Amino acid sequence: LAALRTAIDNCVVLGAGLLSGAIYSPLGYGTGRPPTRRELRVTADVIRRAARYASTCGVKLGIEPLNRYETSLINTGRQALDFIDLVDEPNVFLALDTFHMNIEERGFAQPIEEAGSRLCFVQLSESNRGIPGTGTVSWGEVLAALRVTAFDGPLGLESYCLGNSVVASRACVWRDVIGDADNFVGEAMRFLKGRLAEGGTELRLNDARERGHGSPASTLA
Ligand SMILES: [Mn+2]
């Protein structure tokens, strides 16, 4: 809870209205068995207290399911929605990452459509964490579902560079999958804007670098 309060305080300093990621579990948390009711209840109690603190700061929380190799607690959108029901606070939402969805979900559209207005943030990550368009994520399906649900929250890019050895080791990133980070952002934006244009979508991608500040969301995974 202390770490979450610090993260929420940092959101206020940064002007970020959302704290999302694996805020319910350390990266690499695995017990070797399915989550127990007690584990989920204790975790939900902590997230509820964090959510109440966050609401006094005008910050929303986003629960991001991770794939089975990074946590044993919440792997799918459905599990996250059930967990959010358990927390039962109005400023707690679902955050989805297409990298984890590619491993755990039956498809890309159904979890997005099921979440509907409970979805607060989507990380557009390729199946290999590399440049979108170079892997097996079904981008047409992802973008169509966001259009169907009239998603109006932030879309983010997520990859890892080897510079952050702690995160790289927790997420098991052993190869340089993106090369130059600025080139990654440029290539990713070009690809995604192209796919969005094909769909005649209302969704817009803004390059945060052009506005001279960081991501609209502070994310932990
Ligand atoms: Mn993520």
Side-chain angles (χ1 to χ4, degrees), residues 58-97:
V59 172
K60 290 192 280 191
L61 300 183
I63 301 295
E64 178 184 340
L66 302 186
N67 73 77
R68 65 190 70 185
Y69 307 107
E70 294 181 42
T71 184
S72 58
L73 220 50
I74 299 176
N75 302 134
T76 67
R78 181 65 258 169
Q79 284 180 299
L81 290 174
D82 289 343
F83 177 78
I84 293 164
D85 285 340
L86 199 57
V87 174
D88 195 24
E89 288 294 325
N91 61 332
V92 183
F93 294 84
L94 172 65
L96 288 171
D97 178 336

PDB file of all heavy atoms in Angstrom, residues 58-97:
ATOM      1  N   GLY A  58      -7.809  12.580  -7.394  1.00  0.00           N
ATOM      2  CA  GLY A  58      -8.306  12.646  -8.772  1.00  0.00           C
ATOM      3  C   GLY A  58      -7.607  11.665  -9.704  1.00  0.00           C
ATOM      4  O   GLY A  58      -7.482  11.916 -10.902  1.00  0.00           O
ATOM      5  N   VAL A  59      -7.154  10.536  -9.153  1.00  0.00           N
ATOM      6  CA  VAL A  59      -6.442   9.539  -9.957  1.00  0.00           C
ATOM      7  C   VAL A  59      -7.285   8.266 -10.066  1.00  0.00           C
ATOM      8  O   VAL A  59      -7.872   7.818  -9.087  1.00  0.00           O
ATOM      9  CB  VAL A  59      -5.060   9.212  -9.329  1.00  0.00           C
ATOM     10  CG1 VAL A  59      -4.386   8.051 -10.033  1.00  0.00           C
ATOM     11  CG2 VAL A  59      -4.163  10.459  -9.358  1.00  0.00           C
ATOM     12  N   LYS A  60      -7.347   7.704 -11.299  1.00  0.00           N
ATOM     13  CA  LYS A  60      -8.002   6.414 -11.515  1.00  0.00           C
ATOM     14  C   LYS A  60      -6.960   5.305 -11.442  1.00  0.00           C
ATOM     15  O   LYS A  60      -5.784   5.532 -11.725  1.00  0.00           O
ATOM     16  CB  LYS A  60      -8.634   6.373 -12.922  1.00  0.00           C
ATOM     17  CG  LYS A  60      -9.830   7.276 -13.088  1.00  0.00           C
ATOM     18  CD  LYS A  60     -10.583   6.969 -14.376  1.00  0.00           C
ATOM     19  CE  LYS A  60      -9.922   7.599 -15.577  1.00  0.00           C
ATOM     20  NZ  LYS A  60     -10.769   7.546 -16.793  1.00  0.00           N
ATOM     21  N   LEU A  61      -7.398   4.096 -11.108  1.00  0.00           N
ATOM     22  CA  LEU A  61      -6.503   2.942 -11.127  1.00  0.00           C
ATOM     23  C   LEU A  61      -6.905   2.012 -12.265  1.00  0.00           C
ATOM     24  O   LEU A  61      -8.091   1.808 -12.522  1.00  0.00           O
ATOM     25  CB  LEU A  61      -6.570   2.178  -9.792  1.00  0.00           C
ATOM     26  CG  LEU A  61      -6.197   2.946  -8.524  1.00  0.00           C
ATOM     27  CD1 LEU A  61      -6.240   1.999  -7.311  1.00  0.00           C
ATOM     28  CD2 LEU A  61      -4.809   3.594  -8.645  1.00  0.00           C
ATOM     29  N   GLY A  62      -5.912   1.442 -12.941  1.00  0.00           N
ATOM     30  CA  GLY A  62      -6.167   0.478 -14.023  1.00  0.00           C
ATOM     31  C   GLY A  62      -5.540  -0.860 -13.678  1.00  0.00           C
ATOM     32  O   GLY A  62      -4.342  -0.938 -13.413  1.00  0.00           O
ATOM     33  N   ILE A  63      -6.366  -1.908 -13.660  1.00  0.00           N
ATOM     34  CA  ILE A  63      -5.888  -3.266 -13.349  1.00  0.00           C
ATOM     35  C   ILE A  63      -5.528  -3.959 -14.664  1.00  0.00           C
ATOM     36  O   ILE A  63      -6.397  -4.195 -15.510  1.00  0.00           O
ATOM     37  CB  ILE A  63      -6.999  -4.072 -12.627  1.00  0.00           C
ATOM     38  CG1 ILE A  63      -7.419  -3.370 -11.332  1.00  0.00           C
ATOM     39  CG2 ILE A  63      -6.537  -5.514 -12.369  1.00  0.00           C
ATOM     40  CD1 ILE A  63      -6.354  -3.282 -10.277  1.00  0.00           C
ATOM     41  N   GLU A  64      -4.262  -4.269 -14.849  1.00  0.00           N
ATOM     42  CA  GLU A  64      -3.810  -4.888 -16.099  1.00  0.00           C
ATOM     43  C   GLU A  64      -3.519  -6.373 -15.884  1.00  0.00           C
ATOM     44  O   GLU A  64      -2.610  -6.716 -15.122  1.00  0.00           O
ATOM     45  CB  GLU A  64      -2.542  -4.185 -16.599  1.00  0.00           C
ATOM     46  CG  GLU A  64      -1.992  -4.806 -17.877  1.00  0.00           C
ATOM     47  CD  GLU A  64      -0.673  -4.169 -18.335  1.00  0.00           C
ATOM     48  OE1 GLU A  64      -0.373  -3.041 -17.920  1.00  0.00           O
ATOM     49  OE2 GLU A  64       0.040  -4.832 -19.104  1.00  0.00           O
ATOM     50  N   PRO A  65      -4.265  -7.267 -16.556  1.00  0.00           N
ATOM     51  CA  PRO A  65      -3.925  -8.688 -16.481  1.00  0.00           C
ATOM     52  C   PRO A  65      -2.566  -8.924 -17.152  1.00  0.00           C
ATOM     53  O   PRO A  65      -2.264  -8.320 -18.177  1.00  0.00           O
ATOM     54  CB  PRO A  65      -5.024  -9.373 -17.311  1.00  0.00           C
ATOM     55  CG  PRO A  65      -6.075  -8.340 -17.556  1.00  0.00           C
ATOM     56  CD  PRO A  65      -5.404  -7.012 -17.456  1.00  0.00           C
ATOM     57  N   LEU A  66      -1.767  -9.776 -16.551  1.00  0.00           N
ATOM     58  CA  LEU A  66      -0.486 -10.155 -17.139  1.00  0.00           C
ATOM     59  C   LEU A  66      -0.548 -11.623 -17.554  1.00  0.00           C
ATOM     60  O   LEU A  66      -1.372 -12.374 -17.046  1.00  0.00           O
ATOM     61  CB  LEU A  66       0.656  -9.989 -16.133  1.00  0.00           C
ATOM     62  CG  LEU A  66       0.903  -8.621 -15.501  1.00  0.00           C
ATOM     63  CD1 LEU A  66       2.177  -8.664 -14.667  1.00  0.00           C
ATOM     64  CD2 LEU A  66       0.997  -7.537 -16.550  1.00  0.00           C
ATOM     65  N   ASN A  67       0.345 -12.007 -18.426  1.00  0.00           N
ATOM     66  CA  ASN A  67       0.352 -13.419 -18.832  1.00  0.00           C
ATOM     67  C   ASN A  67       0.825 -14.301 -17.687  1.00  0.00           C
ATOM     68  O   ASN A  67       1.407 -13.844 -16.707  1.00  0.00           O
ATOM     69  CB  ASN A  67       1.204 -13.595 -20.093  1.00  0.00           C
ATOM     70  CG  ASN A  67       2.682 -13.464 -19.804  1.00  0.00           C
ATOM     71  OD1 ASN A  67       3.313 -14.380 -19.277  1.00  0.00           O
ATOM     72  ND2 ASN A  67       3.240 -12.300 -20.115  1.00  0.00           N
ATOM     73  N   ARG A  68       0.565 -15.584 -17.853  1.00  0.00           N
ATOM     74  CA  ARG A  68       0.798 -16.578 -16.790  1.00  0.00           C
ATOM     75  C   ARG A  68       2.241 -16.662 -16.302  1.00  0.00           C
ATOM     76  O   ARG A  68       2.489 -17.148 -15.202  1.00  0.00           O
ATOM     77  CB  ARG A  68       0.363 -17.964 -17.295  1.00  0.00           C
ATOM     78  CG  ARG A  68       1.209 -18.449 -18.458  1.00  0.00           C
ATOM     79  CD  ARG A  68       0.634 -19.687 -19.094  1.00  0.00           C
ATOM     80  NE  ARG A  68      -0.612 -19.384 -19.806  1.00  0.00           N
ATOM     81  CZ  ARG A  68      -1.374 -20.310 -20.382  1.00  0.00           C
ATOM     82  NH1 ARG A  68      -1.042 -21.585 -20.288  1.00  0.00           N
ATOM     83  NH2 ARG A  68      -2.457 -19.963 -21.049  1.00  0.00           N
ATOM     84  N   TYR A  69       3.190 -16.211 -17.120  1.00  0.00           N
ATOM     85  CA  TYR A  69       4.596 -16.304 -16.719  1.00  0.00           C
ATOM     86  C   TYR A  69       5.018 -15.128 -15.842  1.00  0.00           C
ATOM     87  O   TYR A  69       6.110 -15.131 -15.284  1.00  0.00           O
ATOM     88  CB  TYR A  69       5.496 -16.384 -17.960  1.00  0.00           C
ATOM     89  CG  TYR A  69       5.072 -17.485 -18.895  1.00  0.00           C
ATOM     90  CD1 TYR A  69       4.446 -17.195 -20.102  1.00  0.00           C
ATOM     91  CD2 TYR A  69       5.261 -18.826 -18.549  1.00  0.00           C
ATOM     92  CE1 TYR A  69       4.023 -18.212 -20.945  1.00  0.00           C
ATOM     93  CE2 TYR A  69       4.841 -19.835 -19.385  1.00  0.00           C
ATOM     94  CZ  TYR A  69       4.219 -19.526 -20.588  1.00  0.00           C
ATOM     95  OH  TYR A  69       3.791 -20.526 -21.407  1.00  0.00           O
ATOM     96  N   GLU A  70       4.174 -14.103 -15.775  1.00  0.00           N
ATOM     97  CA  GLU A  70       4.525 -12.907 -15.006  1.00  0.00           C
ATOM     98  C   GLU A  70       3.717 -12.738 -13.727  1.00  0.00           C
ATOM     99  O   GLU A  70       4.092 -11.980 -12.846  1.00  0.00           O
ATOM    100  CB  GLU A  70       4.420 -11.659 -15.894  1.00  0.00           C
ATOM    101  CG  GLU A  70       5.456 -11.680 -17.019  1.00  0.00           C
ATOM    102  CD  GLU A  70       5.400 -10.451 -17.905  1.00  0.00           C
ATOM    103  OE1 GLU A  70       5.253  -9.344 -17.380  1.00  0.00           O
ATOM    104  OE2 GLU A  70       5.481 -10.614 -19.141  1.00  0.00           O
ATOM    105  N   THR A  71       2.564 -13.419 -13.640  1.00  0.00           N
ATOM    106  CA  THR A  71       1.805 -13.446 -12.389  1.00  0.00           C
ATOM    107  C   THR A  71       0.874 -14.651 -12.416  1.00  0.00           C
ATOM    108  O   THR A  71       0.442 -15.089 -13.483  1.00  0.00           O
ATOM    109  CB  THR A  71       0.970 -12.172 -12.158  1.00  0.00           C
ATOM    110  OG1 THR A  71       0.344 -12.256 -10.870  1.00  0.00           O
ATOM    111  CG2 THR A  71      -0.120 -12.000 -13.185  1.00  0.00           C
ATOM    112  N   SER A  72       0.569 -15.169 -11.226  1.00  0.00           N
ATOM    113  CA  SER A  72      -0.423 -16.248 -11.168  1.00  0.00           C
ATOM    114  C   SER A  72      -1.777 -15.706 -10.717  1.00  0.00           C
ATOM    115  O   SER A  72      -2.731 -16.452 -10.582  1.00  0.00           O
ATOM    116  CB  SER A  72       0.049 -17.356 -10.214  1.00  0.00           C
ATOM    117  OG  SER A  72       0.271 -16.826  -8.920  1.00  0.00           O
ATOM    118  N   LEU A  73      -1.871 -14.388 -10.536  1.00  0.00           N
ATOM    119  CA  LEU A  73      -3.071 -13.815  -9.917  1.00  0.00           C
ATOM    120  C   LEU A  73      -4.174 -13.451 -10.923  1.00  0.00           C
ATOM    121  O   LEU A  73      -5.311 -13.885 -10.789  1.00  0.00           O
ATOM    122  CB  LEU A  73      -2.665 -12.577  -9.101  1.00  0.00           C
ATOM    123  CG  LEU A  73      -3.336 -12.366  -7.756  1.00  0.00           C
ATOM    124  CD1 LEU A  73      -3.288 -13.613  -6.882  1.00  0.00           C
ATOM    125  CD2 LEU A  73      -2.683 -11.193  -7.039  1.00  0.00           C
ATOM    126  N   ILE A  74      -3.843 -12.624 -11.915  1.00  0.00           N
ATOM    127  CA  ILE A  74      -4.859 -12.148 -12.869  1.00  0.00           C
ATOM    128  C   ILE A  74      -4.282 -12.230 -14.286  1.00  0.00           C
ATOM    129  O   ILE A  74      -3.374 -11.469 -14.632  1.00  0.00           O
ATOM    130  CB  ILE A  74      -5.294 -10.694 -12.559  1.00  0.00           C
ATOM    131  CG1 ILE A  74      -5.906 -10.603 -11.156  1.00  0.00           C
ATOM    132  CG2 ILE A  74      -6.284 -10.186 -13.606  1.00  0.00           C
ATOM    133  CD1 ILE A  74      -6.273  -9.188 -10.727  1.00  0.00           C
ATOM    134  N   ASN A  75      -4.789 -13.158 -15.080  1.00  0.00           N
ATOM    135  CA  ASN A  75      -4.252 -13.380 -16.426  1.00  0.00           C
ATOM    136  C   ASN A  75      -5.172 -12.912 -17.554  1.00  0.00           C
ATOM    137  O   ASN A  75      -4.715 -12.740 -18.679  1.00  0.00           O
ATOM    138  CB  ASN A  75      -3.943 -14.875 -16.646  1.00  0.00           C
ATOM    139  CG  ASN A  75      -2.953 -15.435 -15.630  1.00  0.00           C
ATOM    140  OD1 ASN A  75      -3.179 -16.511 -15.077  1.00  0.00           O
ATOM    141  ND2 ASN A  75      -1.881 -14.714 -15.376  1.00  0.00           N
ATOM    142  N   THR A  76      -6.468 -12.768 -17.272  1.00  0.00           N
ATOM    143  CA  THR A  76      -7.398 -12.426 -18.352  1.00  0.00           C
ATOM    144  C   THR A  76      -8.260 -11.219 -17.975  1.00  0.00           C
ATOM    145  O   THR A  76      -8.392 -10.869 -16.793  1.00  0.00           O
ATOM    146  CB  THR A  76      -8.370 -13.593 -18.651  1.00  0.00           C
ATOM    147  OG1 THR A  76      -9.228 -13.773 -17.508  1.00  0.00           O
ATOM    148  CG2 THR A  76      -7.623 -14.893 -18.941  1.00  0.00           C
ATOM    149  N   GLY A  77      -8.877 -10.643 -19.004  1.00  0.00           N
ATOM    150  CA  GLY A  77      -9.786  -9.525 -18.777  1.00  0.00           C
ATOM    151  C   GLY A  77     -10.948  -9.924 -17.873  1.00  0.00           C
ATOM    152  O   GLY A  77     -11.363  -9.165 -17.002  1.00  0.00           O
ATOM    153  N   ARG A  78     -11.463 -11.132 -18.098  1.00  0.00           N
ATOM    154  CA  ARG A  78     -12.589 -11.612 -17.277  1.00  0.00           C
ATOM    155  C   ARG A  78     -12.199 -11.685 -15.804  1.00  0.00           C
ATOM    156  O   ARG A  78     -12.933 -11.250 -14.918  1.00  0.00           O
ATOM    157  CB  ARG A  78     -13.028 -12.988 -17.791  1.00  0.00           C
ATOM    158  CG  ARG A  78     -14.195 -13.633 -17.091  1.00  0.00           C
ATOM    159  CD  ARG A  78     -15.480 -12.841 -17.283  1.00  0.00           C
ATOM    160  NE  ARG A  78     -15.789 -12.048 -16.088  1.00  0.00           N
ATOM    161  CZ  ARG A  78     -16.721 -11.109 -16.048  1.00  0.00           C
ATOM    162  NH1 ARG A  78     -17.425 -10.801 -17.123  1.00  0.00           N
ATOM    163  NH2 ARG A  78     -16.952 -10.441 -14.943  1.00  0.00           N
ATOM    164  N   GLN A  79     -11.014 -12.247 -15.526  1.00  0.00           N
ATOM    165  CA  GLN A  79     -10.540 -12.330 -14.135  1.00  0.00           C
ATOM    166  C   GLN A  79     -10.381 -10.928 -13.539  1.00  0.00           C
ATOM    167  O   GLN A  79     -10.682 -10.699 -12.364  1.00  0.00           O
ATOM    168  CB  GLN A  79      -9.188 -13.044 -14.070  1.00  0.00           C
ATOM    169  CG  GLN A  79      -9.251 -14.550 -14.223  1.00  0.00           C
ATOM    170  CD  GLN A  79      -7.846 -15.134 -14.149  1.00  0.00           C
ATOM    171  OE1 GLN A  79      -6.997 -14.820 -14.974  1.00  0.00           O
ATOM    172  NE2 GLN A  79      -7.608 -15.979 -13.176  1.00  0.00           N
ATOM    173  N   ALA A  80      -9.883 -10.005 -14.354  1.00  0.00           N
ATOM    174  CA  ALA A  80      -9.680  -8.639 -13.866  1.00  0.00           C
ATOM    175  C   ALA A  80     -11.021  -7.976 -13.542  1.00  0.00           C
ATOM    176  O   ALA A  80     -11.151  -7.289 -12.528  1.00  0.00           O
ATOM    177  CB  ALA A  80      -8.909  -7.817 -14.898  1.00  0.00           C
ATOM    178  N   LEU A  81     -12.028  -8.192 -14.396  1.00  0.00           N
ATOM    179  CA  LEU A  81     -13.348  -7.592 -14.136  1.00  0.00           C
ATOM    180  C   LEU A  81     -13.934  -8.157 -12.840  1.00  0.00           C
ATOM    181  O   LEU A  81     -14.526  -7.423 -12.037  1.00  0.00           O
ATOM    182  CB  LEU A  81     -14.294  -7.836 -15.322  1.00  0.00           C
ATOM    183  CG  LEU A  81     -13.954  -7.068 -16.608  1.00  0.00           C
ATOM    184  CD1 LEU A  81     -14.877  -7.504 -17.749  1.00  0.00           C
ATOM    185  CD2 LEU A  81     -14.041  -5.555 -16.411  1.00  0.00           C
ATOM    186  N   ASP A  82     -13.758  -9.467 -12.624  1.00  0.00           N
ATOM    187  CA  ASP A  82     -14.239 -10.066 -11.366  1.00  0.00           C
ATOM    188  C   ASP A  82     -13.503  -9.470 -10.163  1.00  0.00           C
ATOM    189  O   ASP A  82     -14.106  -9.197  -9.126  1.00  0.00           O
ATOM    190  CB  ASP A  82     -14.027 -11.592 -11.384  1.00  0.00           C
ATOM    191  CG  ASP A  82     -14.979 -12.287 -12.346  1.00  0.00           C
ATOM    192  OD1 ASP A  82     -15.993 -11.669 -12.738  1.00  0.00           O
ATOM    193  OD2 ASP A  82     -14.694 -13.437 -12.726  1.00  0.00           O
ATOM    194  N   PHE A  83     -12.195  -9.255 -10.338  1.00  0.00           N
ATOM    195  CA  PHE A  83     -11.397  -8.666  -9.260  1.00  0.00           C
ATOM    196  C   PHE A  83     -11.855  -7.230  -8.983  1.00  0.00           C
ATOM    197  O   PHE A  83     -11.978  -6.806  -7.823  1.00  0.00           O
ATOM    198  CB  PHE A  83      -9.914  -8.709  -9.631  1.00  0.00           C
ATOM    199  CG  PHE A  83      -9.015  -8.061  -8.614  1.00  0.00           C
ATOM    200  CD1 PHE A  83      -8.685  -8.716  -7.443  1.00  0.00           C
ATOM    201  CD2 PHE A  83      -8.511  -6.783  -8.831  1.00  0.00           C
ATOM    202  CE1 PHE A  83      -7.871  -8.113  -6.489  1.00  0.00           C
ATOM    203  CE2 PHE A  83      -7.693  -6.176  -7.886  1.00  0.00           C
ATOM    204  CZ  PHE A  83      -7.373  -6.847  -6.712  1.00  0.00           C
ATOM    205  N   ILE A  84     -12.133  -6.491 -10.056  1.00  0.00           N
ATOM    206  CA  ILE A  84     -12.583  -5.096  -9.909  1.00  0.00           C
ATOM    207  C   ILE A  84     -13.942  -5.066  -9.190  1.00  0.00           C
ATOM    208  O   ILE A  84     -14.198  -4.190  -8.363  1.00  0.00           O
ATOM    209  CB  ILE A  84     -12.635  -4.401 -11.291  1.00  0.00           C
ATOM    210  CG1 ILE A  84     -11.212  -4.261 -11.840  1.00  0.00           C
ATOM    211  CG2 ILE A  84     -13.314  -3.036 -11.197  1.00  0.00           C
ATOM    212  CD1 ILE A  84     -11.144  -3.956 -13.332  1.00  0.00           C
ATOM    213  N   ASP A  85     -14.798  -6.055  -9.473  1.00  0.00           N
ATOM    214  CA  ASP A  85     -16.078  -6.160  -8.750  1.00  0.00           C
ATOM    215  C   ASP A  85     -15.829  -6.372  -7.257  1.00  0.00           C
ATOM    216  O   ASP A  85     -16.544  -5.830  -6.411  1.00  0.00           O
ATOM    217  CB  ASP A  85     -16.904  -7.332  -9.293  1.00  0.00           C
ATOM    218  CG  ASP A  85     -17.527  -7.002 -10.648  1.00  0.00           C
ATOM    219  OD1 ASP A  85     -17.643  -5.800 -10.973  1.00  0.00           O
ATOM    220  OD2 ASP A  85     -17.892  -7.948 -11.373  1.00  0.00           O
ATOM    221  N   LEU A  86     -14.814  -7.182  -6.953  1.00  0.00           N
ATOM    222  CA  LEU A  86     -14.464  -7.465  -5.562  1.00  0.00           C
ATOM    223  C   LEU A  86     -13.980  -6.189  -4.861  1.00  0.00           C
ATOM    224  O   LEU A  86     -14.318  -5.923  -3.705  1.00  0.00           O
ATOM    225  CB  LEU A  86     -13.364  -8.535  -5.552  1.00  0.00           C
ATOM    226  CG  LEU A  86     -13.090  -9.340  -4.298  1.00  0.00           C
ATOM    227  CD1 LEU A  86     -14.348 -10.072  -3.833  1.00  0.00           C
ATOM    228  CD2 LEU A  86     -11.958 -10.346  -4.574  1.00  0.00           C
ATOM    229  N   VAL A  87     -13.184  -5.394  -5.572  1.00  0.00           N
ATOM    230  CA  VAL A  87     -12.675  -4.129  -5.014  1.00  0.00           C
ATOM    231  C   VAL A  87     -13.833  -3.165  -4.784  1.00  0.00           C
ATOM    232  O   VAL A  87     -13.951  -2.521  -3.746  1.00  0.00           O
ATOM    233  CB  VAL A  87     -11.625  -3.495  -5.954  1.00  0.00           C
ATOM    234  CG1 VAL A  87     -11.207  -2.117  -5.452  1.00  0.00           C
ATOM    235  CG2 VAL A  87     -10.402  -4.406  -6.086  1.00  0.00           C
ATOM    236  N   ASP A  88     -14.704  -3.060  -5.808  1.00  0.00           N
ATOM    237  CA  ASP A  88     -15.940  -2.287  -5.702  1.00  0.00           C
ATOM    238  C   ASP A  88     -15.718  -0.817  -5.350  1.00  0.00           C
ATOM    239  O   ASP A  88     -16.280  -0.294  -4.390  1.00  0.00           O
ATOM    240  CB  ASP A  88     -16.865  -2.954  -4.650  1.00  0.00           C
ATOM    241  CG  ASP A  88     -18.300  -2.428  -4.742  1.00  0.00           C
ATOM    242  OD1 ASP A  88     -18.681  -1.950  -5.826  1.00  0.00           O
ATOM    243  OD2 ASP A  88     -19.015  -2.485  -3.726  1.00  0.00           O
ATOM    244  N   GLU A  89     -14.868  -0.183  -6.130  1.00  0.00           N
ATOM    245  CA  GLU A  89     -14.670   1.270  -6.002  1.00  0.00           C
ATOM    246  C   GLU A  89     -14.840   1.873  -7.406  1.00  0.00           C
ATOM    247  O   GLU A  89     -14.388   1.286  -8.389  1.00  0.00           O
ATOM    248  CB  GLU A  89     -13.262   1.585  -5.472  1.00  0.00           C
ATOM    249  CG  GLU A  89     -13.053   1.246  -4.006  1.00  0.00           C
ATOM    250  CD  GLU A  89     -13.890   2.105  -3.057  1.00  0.00           C
ATOM    251  OE1 GLU A  89     -14.102   3.300  -3.358  1.00  0.00           O
ATOM    252  OE2 GLU A  89     -14.348   1.571  -2.032  1.00  0.00           O
ATOM    253  N   PRO A  90     -15.478   3.056  -7.500  1.00  0.00           N
ATOM    254  CA  PRO A  90     -15.829   3.592  -8.824  1.00  0.00           C
ATOM    255  C   PRO A  90     -14.657   4.071  -9.674  1.00  0.00           C
ATOM    256  O   PRO A  90     -14.815   4.296 -10.877  1.00  0.00           O
ATOM    257  CB  PRO A  90     -16.771   4.762  -8.497  1.00  0.00           C
ATOM    258  CG  PRO A  90     -16.457   5.126  -7.079  1.00  0.00           C
ATOM    259  CD  PRO A  90     -16.000   3.876  -6.402  1.00  0.00           C
ATOM    260  N   ASN A  91     -13.471   4.236  -9.077  1.00  0.00           N
ATOM    261  CA  ASN A  91     -12.329   4.731  -9.856  1.00  0.00           C
ATOM    262  C   ASN A  91     -11.334   3.613 -10.221  1.00  0.00           C
ATOM    263  O   ASN A  91     -10.189   3.875 -10.527  1.00  0.00           O
ATOM    264  CB  ASN A  91     -11.604   5.855  -9.098  1.00  0.00           C
ATOM    265  CG  ASN A  91     -11.051   5.395  -7.750  1.00  0.00           C
ATOM    266  OD1 ASN A  91     -11.587   4.478  -7.145  1.00  0.00           O
ATOM    267  ND2 ASN A  91      -9.983   6.033  -7.290  1.00  0.00           N
ATOM    268  N   VAL A  92     -11.825   2.356 -10.199  1.00  0.00           N
ATOM    269  CA  VAL A  92     -10.961   1.225 -10.589  1.00  0.00           C
ATOM    270  C   VAL A  92     -11.472   0.628 -11.897  1.00  0.00           C
ATOM    271  O   VAL A  92     -12.647   0.257 -12.003  1.00  0.00           O
ATOM    272  CB  VAL A  92     -10.905   0.150  -9.484  1.00  0.00           C
ATOM    273  CG1 VAL A  92      -9.954  -0.978  -9.880  1.00  0.00           C
ATOM    274  CG2 VAL A  92     -10.456   0.771  -8.168  1.00  0.00           C
ATOM    275  N   PHE A  93     -10.585   0.573 -12.889  1.00  0.00           N
ATOM    276  CA  PHE A  93     -10.956   0.159 -14.234  1.00  0.00           C
ATOM    277  C   PHE A  93     -10.035  -0.962 -14.721  1.00  0.00           C
ATOM    278  O   PHE A  93      -9.086  -1.353 -14.044  1.00  0.00           O
ATOM    279  CB  PHE A  93     -10.856   1.358 -15.188  1.00  0.00           C
ATOM    280  CG  PHE A  93     -11.849   2.445 -14.891  1.00  0.00           C
ATOM    281  CD1 PHE A  93     -11.578   3.406 -13.912  1.00  0.00           C
ATOM    282  CD2 PHE A  93     -13.056   2.512 -15.568  1.00  0.00           C
ATOM    283  CE1 PHE A  93     -12.491   4.413 -13.622  1.00  0.00           C
ATOM    284  CE2 PHE A  93     -13.979   3.509 -15.286  1.00  0.00           C
ATOM    285  CZ  PHE A  93     -13.691   4.469 -14.312  1.00  0.00           C
ATOM    286  N   LEU A  94     -10.321  -1.434 -15.937  1.00  0.00           N
ATOM    287  CA  LEU A  94      -9.501  -2.472 -16.567  1.00  0.00           C
ATOM    288  C   LEU A  94      -8.530  -1.823 -17.554  1.00  0.00           C
ATOM    289  O   LEU A  94      -8.900  -0.896 -18.284  1.00  0.00           O
ATOM    290  CB  LEU A  94     -10.421  -3.448 -17.323  1.00  0.00           C
ATOM    291  CG  LEU A  94      -9.756  -4.501 -18.206  1.00  0.00           C
ATOM    292  CD1 LEU A  94      -8.937  -5.494 -17.380  1.00  0.00           C
ATOM    293  CD2 LEU A  94     -10.805  -5.261 -19.015  1.00  0.00           C
ATOM    294  N   ALA A  95      -7.294  -2.298 -17.555  1.00  0.00           N
ATOM    295  CA  ALA A  95      -6.316  -1.900 -18.568  1.00  0.00           C
ATOM    296  C   ALA A  95      -5.900  -3.164 -19.313  1.00  0.00           C
ATOM    297  O   ALA A  95      -5.635  -4.195 -18.685  1.00  0.00           O
ATOM    298  CB  ALA A  95      -5.099  -1.247 -17.913  1.00  0.00           C
ATOM    299  N   LEU A  96      -5.903  -3.118 -20.628  1.00  0.00           N
ATOM    300  CA  LEU A  96      -5.527  -4.301 -21.407  1.00  0.00           C
ATOM    301  C   LEU A  96      -4.248  -4.045 -22.190  1.00  0.00           C
ATOM    302  O   LEU A  96      -3.992  -2.934 -22.643  1.00  0.00           O
ATOM    303  CB  LEU A  96      -6.659  -4.682 -22.374  1.00  0.00           C
ATOM    304  CG  LEU A  96      -7.908  -5.302 -21.739  1.00  0.00           C
ATOM    305  CD1 LEU A  96      -9.026  -5.426 -22.772  1.00  0.00           C
ATOM    306  CD2 LEU A  96      -7.599  -6.673 -21.126  1.00  0.00           C
ATOM    307  N   ASP A  97      -3.459  -5.108 -22.333  1.00  0.00           N
ATOM    308  CA  ASP A  97      -2.192  -5.048 -23.070  1.00  0.00           C
ATOM    309  C   ASP A  97      -2.241  -6.177 -24.093  1.00  0.00           C
ATOM    310  O   ASP A  97      -2.387  -7.347 -23.721  1.00  0.00           O
ATOM    311  CB  ASP A  97      -1.046  -5.240 -22.057  1.00  0.00           C
ATOM    312  CG  ASP A  97       0.335  -5.252 -22.703  1.00  0.00           C
ATOM    313  OD1 ASP A  97       0.444  -5.556 -23.905  1.00  0.00           O
ATOM    314  OD2 ASP A  97       1.313  -4.977 -21.975  1.00  0.00           O
TER     315      ASP A  97
END
